[in-house]
Amino acid sequence: MLALDLGSSRTRVLLADRGRVVDVPTAELSGDGDADPVLRGAVVDAGAAGRLLARVIGPRLARADRPVVSVASPVLGGPAYRAAARAAVQVLRPHAVVTVPAARAVARSAAADLSCPLLVVDIGARLSEVVLLDDGAVVDAHHAALGTEDLDEGATPVQLASVIASMTAMTVRHDSTSAAREALRRGPLLAGGGVLRPGVVEALTERLDTSARIAAGPHTAAVRGAAALLRDPAPATRPTLGGRSAAGGFSPLPAR
């Protein structure tokens, strides 16, 4: 049994019998140099992703192993992401492959109280998501093609926080119930490597005008939660949103 978080910048794997997260760059050599199998939350080269997994995970599996694989996927990645991730994982000869929304995995990793509405903000290298969970199910989601690597290319923590705050505001506006407002009042759960970047959390909580809870080990929360969900699914009581784009995506801010 293993869990996988295949991100734009980093690939993280948790082998159930090892208890340690393997964390490597999401890059694979090709004839033209380094290939980027994942770009802004989309698996664009399943073959390169498979070669990466074979190189990183293959030596850690016994020849006869046929693991059950749990893949943490972007909520709005939709069928295309899930199909590409499943194709990449076939190199491991899995017994079965399941995909779980990364936001649910983060919530599970943080042992969040899912009896109350919860906003999960996942800030990755090239993609950020705002997801509303109610009764543990995804009921709304927004994403932006913007993340921590954009901070290295001219974007600022304030700009990143402003985009996330805008997505949060859309979530509240689109909610015909009180769930989003209640979740925002309680404060979002923050995860992803972006949480570790100086100034990001401070700028975000200022724009949201609320406190926030940071998942322990935020950069590995999704893969650890995916592993926990594989061990004990604890299914949501409501249907999970699947594959629709929420209010359109945001484009990355131009570099200064």
Side-chain angles (χ1 to χ4, degrees):
M1 183 173 70
L2 66 87
L4 172 65
D5 179 11
L6 193 60
S8 299
S9 176
R10 310 291 299 185
T11 289
R12 298 179 173 104
V13 181
L14 179 59
L15 295 166
D17 60 344
R18 306 288 177 88
R20 182 176 66 87
V21 175
V22 178
D23 187 337
V24 298
T26 305
E28 185 62 19
L29 293 176
S30 70
D32 300 321
D34 282 351
D36 293 318
V38 183
L39 291 175
R40 299 198 184 274
V43 180
V44 296
D45 189 338
R51 292 192 297 274
L52 169 67
L53 297 178
R55 175 171 56 83
V56 172
I57 306 174
R60 293 174 166 84
L61 298 176
R63 185 180 296 273
D65 282 352
R66 298 196 62 198
V68 176
V69 181
S70 176
V71 182
S73 62
V75 171
L76 294 177
Y81 181 95
R82 294 193 292 272
R86 286 174 181 272
V89 168
Q90 294 308 308
V91 71
L92 304 176
R93 300 182 303 112
H95 174 73
V97 181
V98 297
T99 58
V100 298
R104 279 196 65 206
V106 167
R108 181 57 179 275
S109 174
D113 179 5
L114 294 181
S115 67
C116 302
L118 178 68
L119 277 170
V120 178
V121 177
D122 190 352
I123 308 173
R126 290 288 188 178
L127 187 78
S128 297
E129 287 192 315
V130 174
V131 180
L132 176 62
L133 300 178
D134 195 8
D135 288 338
V138 177
V139 294
D140 198 8
H142 301 264
H143 66 182
L146 186 71
T148 56
E149 288 192 358
D150 297 290
L151 299 180
D152 299 327
E153 298 173 4
T156 67
V158 169
Q159 289 173 318
L160 176 57
S162 295
V163 169
I164 293 171
S166 295
M167 292 191 289
T168 304
M170 281 195 294
T171 302
V172 172
R173 285 199 304 270
H174 292 171
D175 183 21
S176 60
T177 71
S178 62
R181 289 177 176 82
E182 180 183 345
L184 181 59
R185 178 184 58 78
R186 296 176 64 228
L189 174 63
L190 307 183
V195 175
L196 302 176
R197 294 294 291 263
V200 171
V201 173
E202 293 81 1
L204 181 57
T205 53
E206 179 180 347
R207 271 147 190 78
L208 294 178
D209 191 26
T210 188
S211 59
R213 175 186 176 190
I214 299 175
H219 56 306
T220 61
V223 72
R224 289 184 287 106
L229 286 170
L230 192 59
R231 291 191 296 268
D232 179 13
T237 58
R238 299 178 56 178
T240 295
L241 170 75
R244 73 176 181 85
S245 177
F250 284 77
S251 298
L253 295 169
R256 288 183 172 180

